Amino acid sequence: MASSKTTTTPMQDFEAAADDSSQDVATFDDNRNGLMHKVQHALHVTPSIVPLIVLLLSLVVFGILLGSKFFSPFAMTLILQQVQIVGIVAAAQSLVILTAGIDLSVGAIMVLSSVVMGQFTFRYGLPVEVAVVCGLLCGAICGYINGWLIAVMKLPPFIVTLGMWQIVLASNFLYSSNETIRSQDIALHAPLLQFFGNKVNIGGAILTYGVIFMVALVLFLAYALRQTAWGRHVYAVGDDPEAAKLSGVQVKRTLISVYVLSGLICAFAGWALIGRIGSVSPTSGQLANIESITAVVIGGISLFGGRGSILGTLFGALIVGVFTLGLRLLGADAQWTYLLIGALIIAAVAVDQWIRKVSV
């Protein structure tokens, strides 16, 4: 009995094999359209959202607990006056951290610049305008040294600025002989040194020129970072310096410019510090470096560089001010302020790590 046999062509065999293999192809669930991924992406694009939400929530909570006592014009302007120095120094710190660096010398540069302004005026008898310019140049020179050592000598930013912090701090005390120039003497002979402490009435709110300068500085830097080629280079260097170099970015020049600008801003903070406390004291502002890093981290700027908004830094500084004043008005122990701010720092870093996964 003859048996029937079906024959197929090679092309038919190939198509059949392809159909069979298509059934075995692994499939992966794409979660990029999920809610959590959308939240991650939104925070990645606009990192200042988180500190803004925290700031608004803290205002609401303390407003409920304290009522009109907290929302009074006096309380609101007091918060701004308390954070003006930290806000200015944090703006300088933000520029450095955006390049994936860190500057531990910002507080010391600020104080040294203020001491130079005071000593040049009262010890050497220079016109106060010249003394102020010399103080600003002092801050810029310190920043240039930091930038040159980091960009040209390729030394780690942490080590360079740690050493600069010690050098500037020692120079500050040696040069000033630990002498404080009294507020009365400044007001009588060099009132320009206290310029940023002068107050102005804006819509019923009493603000100092230091507060106005802080806000104007943040807005100016926010524009420069987002709308200019220099700002885009800063982000590129912080994200990947090698890729930025291959793209034509002058990495060394960008880094040096960032540290010079940071030092100059710290010098302005030193001028504002004189207006804030009224006197020139070599012992003031010693915690500004830690406080500035705190504001930057809470403000959502990544410590890994290349991501963040300087507006977030302002929000971070305001958060610290709101917690400090709110807890003080509640009569809480000052240690609760440090506890809550410490928790916010850890939470901010955790959120930053989570947000960074969106780009992986």
Side-chain angles (χ1 to χ4, degrees), residues 38 45 51 53 56 59 72 84 118 124 157 172 181 185 188 252 277-278 287 316 318 359-360:
K38 291 181 179 179
V45 174
I53 293 174
L56 294 176
L59 287 172
S72 64
Q84 61 179 311
Y124 305 124
N172 173 33
I181 302 175
D185 294 333
L188 183 62
K252 292 181 181 180
I277 65 177
L287 295 178
L318 290 174
S359 60
V360 177

Coordinates of all heavy atoms in Angstrom, one line a residue, residues 38 45 51 53 56 59 72 84 118 124 157 172 181 185 188 252 277-278 287 316 318 359-360:
K38 N 5.6 58.8 35.1 CA 5.3 60.2 34.8 C 5.7 61.2 35.9 O 6.2 62.3 35.6 CB 3.8 60.3 34.5 CG 3.3 59.6 33.2 CD 1.9 59.8 33.0 CE 1.4 59.0 31.7 NZ 0.0 59.2 31.5
V45 N 12.4 66.7 35.1 CA 12.4 67.9 34.2 C 12.4 69.2 35.1 O 13.0 70.2 34.8 CB 11.3 67.9 33.3 CG1 11.2 69.2 32.5 CG2 11.4 66.7 32.3
P51 N 10.9 70.8 46.5 CA 11.1 71.8 47.6 C 9.9 72.9 47.6 O 9.6 73.3 48.7 CB 12.4 72.5 47.2 CG 12.7 72.2 45.8 CD 12.0 70.9 45.5
I53 N 6.8 72.3 47.0 CA 5.7 71.6 47.7 C 5.9 71.5 49.2 O 5.0 71.8 50.0 CB 5.4 70.2 47.1 CG1 4.9 70.3 45.6 CG2 4.5 69.4 47.9 CD1 4.8 68.9 44.9
L56 N 5.4 75.0 50.7 CA 4.0 75.3 50.8 C 3.3 74.6 51.9 O 2.5 75.1 52.7 CB 3.3 75.1 49.5 CG 3.7 76.0 48.3 CD1 2.9 75.6 47.0 CD2 3.4 77.5 48.6
L59 N 4.4 76.0 55.3 CA 3.6 77.2 55.6 C 2.2 76.9 56.0 O 1.7 77.6 57.0 CB 3.6 78.1 54.3 CG 4.9 78.8 53.9 CD1 4.8 79.4 52.5 CD2 5.3 79.8 55.0
S72 N 1.7 86.9 59.8 CA 1.8 88.4 59.9 C 3.0 88.9 59.0 O 3.9 88.1 58.7 CB 2.1 88.8 61.3 OG 3.4 88.3 61.8
Q84 N 18.6 85.6 54.2 CA 19.2 86.3 53.1 C 20.7 85.9 52.9 O 21.2 85.7 51.8 CB 19.1 87.8 53.3 CG 19.7 88.4 54.5 CD 19.6 89.9 54.7 OE1 19.8 90.6 53.7 NE2 19.1 90.3 55.8
G118 N 36.2 96.0 55.8 CA 36.3 96.8 57.0 C 37.7 97.3 57.3 O 37.9 98.5 57.6
Y124 N 43.5 101.3 56.9 CA 44.3 102.0 55.9 C 43.7 103.3 55.4 O 44.3 104.1 54.6 CB 44.5 101.1 54.7 CG 45.1 99.8 55.0 CD1 44.5 98.6 54.7 CD2 46.3 99.7 55.7 CE1 45.0 97.4 55.0 CE2 46.9 98.5 56.1 CZ 46.2 97.3 55.7 OH 46.8 96.1 56.0
P157 N 37.7 68.6 44.1 CA 37.1 69.8 44.6 C 36.9 69.8 46.1 O 37.1 70.8 46.8 CB 35.7 69.9 44.0 CG 35.8 69.1 42.7 CD 36.8 68.0 43.0
N172 N 42.1 85.0 57.8 CA 41.1 85.9 58.3 C 41.5 86.4 59.7 O 41.5 87.6 60.0 CB 39.7 85.3 58.3 CG 38.6 86.1 58.9 OD1 38.7 87.3 58.9 ND2 37.7 85.4 59.6
I181 N 35.1 95.4 64.2 CA 34.8 96.8 64.0 C 33.4 97.1 64.4 O 32.4 96.5 63.8 CB 35.1 97.2 62.5 CG1 36.5 96.9 62.1 CG2 34.8 98.6 62.3 CD1 36.8 97.1 60.7
D185 N 30.8 102.7 64.8 CA 31.9 103.3 64.0 C 31.6 103.2 62.5 O 31.8 104.1 61.8 CB 33.2 102.6 64.3 CG 33.7 102.8 65.7 OD1 33.3 103.8 66.3 OD2 34.4 101.9 66.3
L188 N 28.9 105.6 61.6 CA 29.3 107.0 61.6 C 30.3 107.4 60.5 O 30.2 108.4 59.9 CB 30.0 107.3 62.9 CG 30.5 108.7 63.2 CD1 29.3 109.7 63.2 CD2 31.2 108.8 64.5
K252 N 37.6 73.5 31.2 CA 38.5 74.2 32.1 C 38.0 75.6 32.3 O 37.9 76.1 33.5 CB 39.9 74.1 31.7 CG 40.6 72.8 31.7 CD 42.0 72.8 31.2 CE 42.7 71.4 31.2 NZ 44.1 71.5 30.8
I277 N 24.5 92.2 60.4 CA 24.8 92.2 61.8 C 25.3 93.6 62.3 O 25.5 93.8 63.5 CB 25.9 91.2 62.2 CG1 27.2 91.5 61.4 CG2 25.4 89.8 61.8 CD1 28.3 90.5 61.8
G278 N 25.5 94.5 61.3 CA 25.9 95.8 61.6 C 27.4 96.0 61.8 O 27.9 97.2 61.6
L287 N 29.3 78.9 60.0 CA 28.5 77.8 59.6 C 27.9 77.9 58.2 O 27.1 77.1 57.8 CB 27.4 77.4 60.6 CG 27.9 77.0 62.0 CD1 26.7 76.8 62.9 CD2 28.8 75.8 61.9
G316 N 14.8 75.9 49.2 CA 15.4 75.2 50.3 C 15.8 76.1 51.4 O 15.6 75.7 52.6
L318 N 14.4 78.9 52.2 CA 13.2 79.4 52.8 C 12.6 78.3 53.7 O 12.0 78.6 54.8 CB 12.2 79.8 51.8 CG 12.5 81.1 51.0 CD1 11.5 81.3 49.9 CD2 12.6 82.3 52.0
S359 N 16.5 58.5 34.1 CA 17.4 58.7 33.0 C 18.2 57.4 32.8 O 19.1 57.4 31.9 CB 18.3 59.9 33.3 OG 19.1 59.7 34.5
V360 N 18.1 56.4 33.6 CA 18.9 55.2 33.4 C 18.3 54.3 32.3 O 17.0 54.1 32.3 CB 19.0 54.4 34.7 CG1 19.7 53.1 34.5 CG2 19.7 55.2 35.8

